[in-house]
Amino acid sequence: MNPEKAAAIAERKMQFLFQLRSRGVRDKAVLEAMEKIDRGAFVTGLFAERAYEDTPLPIACGQTISQPSVVGLMTQALNVTSRDKVLEVGTGSGYQAAILSVLARRVYTTDRHLRLVQEAREVFDTLGITNIIAMTKDGSHGVAEQAPFDRIIVTAAAEDPPGPLLAQLKIGGIMVLPVGQSDAVQSLIRVQRTETGYEYDELRPVRFVPLVEGLGDP
Ligand code: SAH
Protein backbone atom coordinates (compact mmCIF):
# COMPACT_ATOMS: atom_id res chain seq x y z
CA MET A 1 0.00 0.00 0.00
CA ASN A 2 1.39 3.46 -0.79
CA PRO A 3 2.09 5.79 2.15
CA GLU A 4 -0.62 8.27 1.15
CA LYS A 5 -3.29 5.63 1.13
CA ALA A 6 -2.09 4.22 4.46
CA ALA A 7 -2.19 7.71 5.98
CA ALA A 8 -5.73 8.30 4.66
CA ILE A 9 -6.92 5.03 6.20
CA ALA A 10 -5.29 5.85 9.55
CA GLU A 11 -6.92 9.29 9.52
CA ARG A 12 -10.34 7.80 8.73
CA LYS A 13 -9.97 5.30 11.60
CA MET A 14 -9.08 8.08 14.03
CA GLN A 15 -12.08 10.12 12.95
CA PHE A 16 -14.32 7.08 13.34
CA LEU A 17 -13.13 6.46 16.93
CA PHE A 18 -13.29 10.17 17.75
CA GLN A 19 -16.96 10.29 16.66
CA LEU A 20 -17.75 7.25 18.80
CA ARG A 21 -16.16 8.80 21.87
CA SER A 22 -17.78 12.17 21.34
CA ARG A 23 -21.19 10.46 21.21
CA GLY A 24 -20.71 8.71 24.51
CA VAL A 25 -18.99 5.42 23.70
CA ARG A 26 -16.34 5.41 26.44
CA ASP A 27 -15.88 1.75 27.36
CA LYS A 28 -12.32 0.81 26.44
CA ALA A 29 -13.09 -2.79 25.48
CA VAL A 30 -15.99 -1.67 23.26
CA LEU A 31 -13.82 0.96 21.54
CA GLU A 32 -11.09 -1.60 20.97
CA ALA A 33 -13.56 -4.08 19.49
CA MET A 34 -14.89 -1.36 17.19
CA GLU A 35 -11.37 -0.43 16.15
CA LYS A 36 -10.67 -4.05 15.34
CA ILE A 37 -13.83 -4.82 13.33
CA ASP A 38 -13.75 -2.87 10.06
CA ARG A 39 -17.27 -1.59 9.26
CA GLY A 40 -16.12 -1.33 5.64
CA ALA A 41 -16.27 -5.15 5.43
CA PHE A 42 -20.04 -5.06 6.07
CA VAL A 43 -21.10 -2.33 3.64
CA THR A 44 -20.81 -3.12 -0.05
CA GLY A 45 -21.84 -1.44 -3.29
CA LEU A 46 -22.99 2.15 -3.56
CA PHE A 47 -22.60 3.05 0.08
CA ALA A 48 -19.20 1.43 0.70
CA GLU A 49 -17.36 4.72 0.74
CA ARG A 50 -19.61 6.01 3.52
CA ALA A 51 -18.85 3.06 5.82
CA TYR A 52 -16.90 5.21 8.32
CA GLU A 53 -19.57 7.89 8.73
CA ASP A 54 -21.68 7.81 11.88
CA THR A 55 -24.86 7.06 10.00
CA PRO A 56 -27.07 4.05 9.30
CA LEU A 57 -26.77 2.77 5.72
CA PRO A 58 -28.97 0.59 3.49
CA ILE A 59 -28.10 -3.11 3.14
CA ALA A 60 -29.85 -5.90 1.19
CA CYS A 61 -33.51 -6.91 1.78
CA GLY A 62 -34.57 -3.31 2.53
CA GLN A 63 -32.79 -3.35 5.89
CA THR A 64 -30.10 -1.12 7.42
CA ILE A 65 -26.76 -1.44 9.14
CA SER A 66 -27.10 0.57 12.35
CA GLN A 67 -25.32 3.82 13.11
CA PRO A 68 -21.89 3.04 14.63
CA SER A 69 -22.41 5.21 17.73
CA VAL A 70 -25.71 3.41 18.43
CA VAL A 71 -23.95 0.04 17.99
CA GLY A 72 -21.32 1.27 20.46
CA LEU A 73 -23.83 2.55 23.00
CA MET A 74 -25.89 -0.65 22.84
CA THR A 75 -22.78 -2.81 23.20
CA GLN A 76 -21.63 -0.70 26.13
CA ALA A 77 -25.03 -0.98 27.83
CA LEU A 78 -24.93 -4.75 27.39
CA ASN A 79 -21.76 -4.95 29.53
CA VAL A 80 -20.51 -8.15 27.89
CA THR A 81 -17.84 -10.30 29.54
CA SER A 82 -15.60 -12.91 27.95
CA ARG A 83 -17.60 -15.73 29.58
CA ASP A 84 -20.91 -14.65 28.08
CA LYS A 85 -23.19 -16.48 25.69
CA VAL A 86 -24.98 -13.76 23.74
CA LEU A 87 -28.08 -13.82 21.56
CA GLU A 88 -28.59 -11.16 18.90
CA VAL A 89 -31.93 -10.83 17.12
CA GLY A 90 -31.46 -9.05 13.77
CA THR A 91 -28.17 -10.09 12.14
CA GLY A 92 -28.56 -7.63 9.25
CA SER A 93 -25.06 -7.04 7.88
CA GLY A 94 -23.43 -8.94 10.77
CA TYR A 95 -21.54 -5.86 12.02
CA GLN A 96 -23.00 -5.82 15.53
CA ALA A 97 -22.52 -9.59 15.89
CA ALA A 98 -18.86 -9.27 14.85
CA ILE A 99 -18.22 -6.65 17.52
CA LEU A 100 -19.92 -8.84 20.13
CA SER A 101 -17.78 -11.78 19.01
CA VAL A 102 -14.66 -9.92 20.16
CA LEU A 103 -16.11 -9.40 23.66
CA ALA A 104 -18.12 -12.58 24.28
CA ARG A 105 -17.47 -16.31 24.42
CA ARG A 106 -20.09 -17.16 21.82
CA VAL A 107 -22.67 -15.24 19.81
CA TYR A 108 -25.89 -16.65 18.38
CA THR A 109 -27.43 -14.30 15.84
CA THR A 110 -30.67 -14.70 13.91
CA ASP A 111 -32.27 -12.92 11.00
CA ARG A 112 -35.54 -13.61 9.18
CA HIS A 113 -33.82 -13.11 5.80
CA LEU A 114 -31.78 -16.08 4.53
CA ARG A 115 -29.74 -13.85 2.21
CA LEU A 116 -28.56 -11.59 5.02
CA VAL A 117 -27.54 -14.59 7.15
CA GLN A 118 -25.61 -16.14 4.26
CA GLU A 119 -23.82 -12.90 3.42
CA ALA A 120 -22.97 -12.21 7.06
CA ARG A 121 -21.53 -15.74 7.42
CA GLU A 122 -19.25 -15.08 4.45
CA VAL A 123 -17.94 -11.90 6.05
CA PHE A 124 -17.36 -13.71 9.38
CA ASP A 125 -15.36 -16.35 7.50
CA THR A 126 -13.32 -13.73 5.65
CA LEU A 127 -12.50 -12.00 8.94
CA GLY A 128 -11.59 -15.33 10.57
CA ILE A 129 -14.36 -15.09 13.19
CA THR A 130 -15.27 -18.54 14.50
CA ASN A 131 -17.49 -17.93 17.56
CA ILE A 132 -20.64 -16.69 15.83
CA ILE A 133 -23.49 -19.02 14.95
CA ALA A 134 -25.80 -17.31 12.45
CA MET A 135 -29.28 -18.74 11.91
CA THR A 136 -32.20 -17.95 9.61
CA LYS A 137 -35.03 -17.79 12.09
CA ASP A 138 -37.74 -15.55 13.50
CA GLY A 139 -35.76 -14.37 16.50
CA SER A 140 -38.75 -13.00 18.40
CA HIS A 141 -39.18 -16.54 19.76
CA GLY A 142 -35.51 -16.62 20.80
CA VAL A 143 -33.39 -19.74 20.42
CA ALA A 144 -34.88 -22.07 23.03
CA GLU A 145 -32.37 -24.89 22.47
CA GLN A 146 -29.46 -22.61 23.45
CA ALA A 147 -31.21 -20.74 26.29
CA PRO A 148 -30.63 -19.27 28.79
CA PHE A 149 -28.43 -16.41 27.57
CA ASP A 150 -26.22 -14.11 29.64
CA ARG A 151 -26.92 -11.22 27.29
CA ILE A 152 -29.57 -10.56 24.63
CA ILE A 153 -29.55 -7.69 22.13
CA VAL A 154 -32.36 -6.95 19.71
CA THR A 155 -31.59 -4.67 16.77
CA ALA A 156 -35.15 -4.27 15.44
CA ALA A 157 -37.98 -2.55 17.29
CA ALA A 158 -40.92 -4.34 18.91
CA GLU A 159 -43.77 -2.63 20.74
CA ASP A 160 -42.78 -4.47 23.93
CA PRO A 161 -39.94 -6.81 24.87
CA PRO A 162 -40.91 -10.21 23.39
CA GLY A 163 -41.95 -12.65 26.17
CA PRO A 164 -39.80 -15.56 24.94
CA LEU A 165 -36.69 -13.34 25.04
CA LEU A 166 -37.42 -12.26 28.61
CA ALA A 167 -37.86 -15.94 29.51
CA GLN A 168 -34.55 -16.92 27.84
CA LEU A 169 -32.52 -14.34 29.77
CA LYS A 170 -30.46 -15.74 32.66
CA ILE A 171 -31.06 -14.43 36.17
CA GLY A 172 -28.49 -11.64 36.46
CA GLY A 173 -28.55 -11.27 32.67
CA ILE A 174 -29.01 -8.10 30.63
CA MET A 175 -31.07 -7.43 27.50
CA VAL A 176 -30.82 -4.25 25.42
CA LEU A 177 -33.48 -3.46 22.83
CA PRO A 178 -35.44 -0.68 21.13
CA VAL A 179 -39.17 -0.60 21.93
CA GLY A 180 -42.01 1.41 20.42
CA GLN A 181 -44.03 1.81 17.24
CA SER A 182 -41.94 1.26 14.14
CA ASP A 183 -42.82 4.54 12.44
CA ALA A 184 -42.25 6.70 15.51
CA VAL A 185 -39.31 7.46 17.75
CA GLN A 186 -38.54 4.45 19.88
CA SER A 187 -36.77 4.10 23.20
CA LEU A 188 -33.67 2.07 23.75
CA ILE A 189 -34.16 0.16 26.98
CA ARG A 190 -32.05 -2.09 29.19
CA VAL A 191 -33.70 -4.95 31.02
CA GLN A 192 -31.95 -6.70 33.92
CA ARG A 193 -33.32 -9.98 35.17
CA THR A 194 -33.18 -10.35 38.95
CA GLU A 195 -34.09 -13.25 41.26
CA THR A 196 -37.60 -11.88 41.55
CA GLY A 197 -38.37 -10.18 38.23
CA TYR A 198 -37.14 -7.63 35.70
CA GLU A 199 -35.79 -4.09 36.09
CA TYR A 200 -36.19 -1.66 33.20
CA ASP A 201 -34.07 1.42 32.37
CA GLU A 202 -34.74 3.82 29.54
CA LEU A 203 -31.48 4.82 27.83
CA ARG A 204 -32.22 7.12 24.88
CA PRO A 205 -34.44 7.69 21.84
CA VAL A 206 -33.51 5.63 18.77
CA ARG A 207 -34.94 4.60 15.43
CA PHE A 208 -34.79 1.02 14.18
CA VAL A 209 -36.52 -1.02 11.49
CA PRO A 210 -39.43 -3.07 12.91
CA LEU A 211 -39.19 -6.55 14.36
CA VAL A 212 -41.37 -8.54 11.96
CA GLU A 213 -42.99 -11.93 12.59
CA GLY A 214 -42.12 -14.97 10.49
CA LEU A 215 -39.42 -15.57 7.89
CA GLY A 216 -38.74 -13.04 5.12
CA ASP A 217 -38.41 -13.68 1.41
CA PRO A 218 -35.12 -15.47 0.88
N1 SAH B 1 -27.61 -5.64 13.73
C1 SAH B 1 -27.63 -5.33 12.31
C2 SAH B 1 -28.68 -4.31 11.91
C3 SAH B 1 -29.98 -4.93 11.93
S1 SAH B 1 -31.30 -4.20 11.02
C4 SAH B 1 -26.27 -4.91 11.82
O1 SAH B 1 -25.33 -4.83 12.62
O2 SAH B 1 -26.13 -4.69 10.61
C5 SAH B 1 -32.55 -5.22 11.72
C6 SAH B 1 -32.57 -6.64 11.23
O3 SAH B 1 -33.58 -7.32 11.98
C7 SAH B 1 -32.96 -6.78 9.76
O4 SAH B 1 -31.96 -7.44 9.07
C8 SAH B 1 -34.25 -7.59 9.81
O5 SAH B 1 -34.36 -8.54 8.75
C9 SAH B 1 -34.14 -8.29 11.15
N2 SAH B 1 -35.40 -8.75 11.73
C10 SAH B 1 -36.60 -8.13 11.79
N3 SAH B 1 -37.51 -8.89 12.43
C11 SAH B 1 -36.87 -10.04 12.78
C12 SAH B 1 -37.26 -11.24 13.46
N4 SAH B 1 -38.51 -11.43 13.91
N5 SAH B 1 -36.33 -12.19 13.66
C13 SAH B 1 -35.06 -12.04 13.21
N6 SAH B 1 -34.63 -10.94 12.56
C14 SAH B 1 -35.52 -9.96 12.34
Side-chain angles (χ1 to χ4, degrees), residues 63-64 88 90-93 96 111-113 116 138-139 155 209 212:
Q63 305 302 316
T64 52
E88 180 195 30
T91 311
S93 68
Q96 171 77 73
D111 204 288
R112 53 190 294 278
H113 290 289
L116 292 175
D138 175 349
T155 61
V209 297
V212 178

Side-chain angles (χ1 to χ4, degrees), residues 1-2 8 30 40 54 64 67 70 74 84 92 111 118 122 128 137 143 145-146 149 162 167-168 173 197 205 212:
M1 194 187 297
N2 74 46
V30 173
D54 191 29
T64 52
Q67 186 175 349
V70 172
M74 288 177 82
D84 288 345
D111 204 288
Q118 284 175 335
E122 282 171 23
K137 198 171 171 39
V143 179
E145 62 278 17
Q146 295 299 338
F149 295 95
Q168 290 175 25
V212 178

Side-chain angles (χ1 to χ4, degrees), residues 22 31 36 50-51 71 100 110 134 151 162 179 183-184 186 193 200-201 215:
S22 69
L31 286 166
K36 180 165 178 197
R50 300 186 58 191
V71 171
L100 291 168
T110 78
R151 301 289 185 264
V179 290
D183 51 354
Q186 307 137 3
R193 184 165 191 182
Y200 296 84
D201 276 316
L215 288 186

Side-chain angles (χ1 to χ4, degrees), residues 87-212:
L87 171 64
E88 180 195 30
V89 177
T91 311
S93 68
Y95 179 58
Q96 171 77 73
I99 289 164
L100 291 168
S101 79
V102 178
L103 301 165
R105 179 166 55 88
R106 191 172 285 267
V107 179
Y108 292 86
T109 182
T110 78
D111 204 288
R112 53 190 294 278
H113 290 289
L114 173 68
R115 174 174 168 193
L116 292 175
V117 172
Q118 284 175 335
E119 291 181 358
R121 275 190 196 132
E122 282 171 23
V123 185
F124 302 149
D125 283 348
T126 310
L127 298 181
I129 298 173
T130 54
N131 62 340
I132 301 179
I133 296 164
M135 293 167 288
T136 308
K137 198 171 171 39
D138 175 349
S140 54
H141 304 291
V143 179
E145 62 278 17
Q146 295 299 338
F149 295 95
D150 301 286
R151 301 289 185 264
I152 300 178
I153 181 169
V154 187
T155 61
E159 286 192 25
D160 295 299
L165 297 183
L166 289 171
Q168 290 175 25
L169 188 61
K170 250 185 211 168
I171 291 173
I174 300 174
M175 169 154 69
V176 173
L177 75 167
V179 290
Q181 307 273 337
S182 62
D183 51 354
V185 173
Q186 307 137 3
S187 281
L188 187 64
I189 63 166
R190 177 176 44 206
V191 184
Q192 299 207 51
R193 184 165 191 182
T194 66
E195 293 280 350
T196 51
Y198 298 89
E199 284 171 5
Y200 296 84
D201 276 316
E202 209 170 310
L203 303 179
R204 51 174 269 148
V206 281
R207 189 152 194 173
F208 275 84
V209 297
L211 189 72
V212 178

